[in-house]
Every structure is written in C-alpha cells, then in structure tokens.
Amino acid sequence: MSGPRLELWRAPTDNDRGASQGGYETSDPVLTLGVGDPTAPSSASRWEARGLDRLTHRLVSVTRTDDGLVQRVRVAAANSGAGVEVTHRWTLTDAGLLLRTDAMPFGGWDVTWPRIGVRIDLPAALLSETASWFGTGPDESYADSSHAARVGRFQAPVSAMTTRYSMPQESGHRPELRTLSVGPITVTTLPDPASGHRAGFTLTPWTAQQVGRAGHPHELPVPDALYLYLDDAQHGLGSRACGLDVLPEHQLWPSARSWSVLLA
C-alpha cells in the first residue's frame, strides 16, 4: 500500500475530447444565449496543454506530532507555473488512521481541473475481492449525471467497478461515499463540517494515465495493483461530443479544498 498521491487528472471521456459545440469554460453560456465559445478547444486538450496528466510531486517536509505526522508536498503541473500546495495530516485514533488532506492552488490557473483527490495504491491481491460500500450507487455517477443514483448499501466485484468502454476512459466514480470495504481495508469518509459534503471514490485496476493512453481495451497493461481514488470533486461530464459543454454549476475550477477519511 502506498500513497496518498494528489491527482488532478482523469482519463478523458468522449465528451472531454469533443468540441462539436461551443465551449463554456471560456465563454458564459448565459451571455452567449447558449452558444458559448465556438472556437474553444476541447477540455482534454486544455488539460493536456497545462500538463495536468504529468504532475510532479516534491516532498517539502515531514513533521511528527504527538499522535501522528504532517506531510507537506508541492505538486506542480508540467509546462506550467501553476501547482498545488498539499498538506496531509495523519492522526492515530482508536478507530484507525485519520487522514485530512488540504489542497491550496497557487500560480496562474486558467483551466478547470478534471478532478481533485488522492490516489492510494493497494495490493494486486485485492483485485479478486468484492467491494462493499454505503454511499451512492449502484452504478457510477458524476456532478451532472446523478439522477439515477441513490444512497444505499451496495456490493460488486472489484472487476465490475469500472465500465469497459470500446475506447478506455474515465468511469466508475461514485460520489458522497460513507464507508467502503475491500478485503481487510475499510475507508470511512468524514463530512465537511459546514456543508456535509463527503469525498467520493473510484476503484480501478489502472491509473488514470494508463487508461488515458490506451486507444483500445487490449492496450491496457496487465494490472499489478488496485488503485483507490478518493476525490473531493470531479468536473462534470457534459455532452460536448455531440451536444452542450459542462454547465458552469458543474465545472470544477481550482480552489482551496479539504477532505478527511478514516483508514482502518
């Protein structure tokens, strides 16, 4: 088990790569009567140009506390002066390890984030396990694609937690997680004190970068780990491959974020 590792990238969806309709990130759809910016490139090309798929991580400091430790990491986007100052606060409790992550963007961010969360690498032996969770389900859902989701208790084989598209892309995100169990590992999210918001999760045999590089399922590498993504938020899906871009209320623009999970 290794991590957490801050992640801003997701494997682009067809809609992320599409640009058949005007873009809403660079032009307000209300002010343009829904047209947006007809010359705007796709979200995926903007993300790639800012190096969000190629983050660099530099450990700044590790400080011991009475009941844990504090890690400070400086994360930078390739080809950019923009980045994120990340603080992981580990606290040993009777119930397990409490992890609070604080992320503060710096520099000239001028593009949305695909996601904001952390990746934890779990042993490959868990690939054959069944995941049980209390949260949204039973299938994936996103900020602008959630009407079919409901809160309940669900379980599914780990192999069925993501969708096998003909062209590999982001899938399997389930927001507002309460508790997740995979083999001997249990993850419990803590609600934000002000809003009650909780982190979501994705369980996948491949990293977002591996999925994004594959043009077909057979190009995905043989899994050697199970990757747990704990996302405070994800950018909406939209329908720009054949329709409208992500609406402003579902866009994920850089901002200070904090979320907490309990690992047991």
Side-chain angles (χ1 to χ4, degrees):
M1 179 174 175
S2 65
R5 176 186 177 90
L6 185 84
E7 187 60 84
L8 301 178
W9 180 249
R10 75 180 182 198
T13 65
D14 291 337
N15 293 331
D16 294 335
R17 296 192 183 280
S20 64
Q21 302 289 327
Y24 288 172
E25 292 184 28
T26 56
S27 183
D28 191 320
V30 175
L31 298 179
T32 58
L33 302 179
V35 175
D37 181 357
T39 65
S42 69
S43 293
S45 64
R46 285 167 53 82
W47 296 338
E48 290 167 346
R50 272 64 170 188
L52 300 191
D53 57 335
R54 306 181 307 281
L55 299 180
T56 60
H57 298 72
R58 178 171 65 87
L59 180 63
V60 176
S61 66
V62 178
T63 305
R64 289 186 178 275
T65 64
D66 291 341
D67 51 5
L69 56 84
V70 177
Q71 299 170 295
R72 290 186 169 83
V73 183
R74 188 176 179 89
V75 180
N79 302 328
S80 171
V84 185
E85 300 283 0
V86 183
T87 302
H88 300 298
R89 291 181 171 84
W90 294 91
T91 303
L92 182 61
T93 72
D94 292 340
L97 279 173
L98 177 64
L99 170 63
R100 174 186 169 91
T101 300
D102 298 305
M104 176 66 71
F106 65 86
W109 285 104
D110 63 349
V111 66
T112 55
W113 285 341
R115 70 178 346 137
I116 173 66
V118 295
R119 190 189 88 196
I120 298 175
D121 301 0
L122 303 176
L126 296 180
L127 289 166
S128 60
E129 294 285 348
T130 294
S132 302
W133 73 98
F134 176 32
T136 57
D139 299 319
E140 64 188 23
S141 59
Y142 294 79
D144 54 357
S145 178
S146 60
H147 288 303
R150 60 184 176 85
V151 174
R153 297 188 181 275
F154 307 98
Q155 67 176 25
V158 167
S159 60
M161 294 297 290
T162 53
T163 303
R164 299 298 293 271
Y165 291 103
S166 57
M167 181 176 182
Q169 56 190 278
E170 161 67 28
S171 71
H173 175 64
R174 292 168 172 85
E176 295 293 335
L177 173 68
R178 277 68 168 175
T179 302
L180 166 70
S181 295
V182 185
I185 297 172
T186 299
V187 179
T188 302
T189 65
L190 276 66
D192 179 86
S195 66
H197 172 73
R198 297 172 182 263
F201 81 102
T202 304
L203 276 175
T204 171
W206 302 284
T207 68
Q209 288 77 10
Q210 289 173 333
V211 175
R213 288 193 294 265
H216 304 278
H218 72 268
E219 296 175 358
L220 292 165
V222 176
D224 58 4
L226 176 63
Y227 300 100
L228 169 63
Y229 287 90
L230 296 168
D231 290 323
D232 190 56
Q234 279 216 26
H235 189 66
L237 297 177
S239 59
R240 202 176 174 200
C242 59
L244 301 178
D245 198 1
V246 176
L247 296 176
E249 60 266 32
H250 301 307
Q251 295 172 0
L252 178 57
W253 286 96
S255 65
R257 318 284 299 204
S258 298
W259 64 97
S260 299
V261 298
L262 184 69
L263 305 174

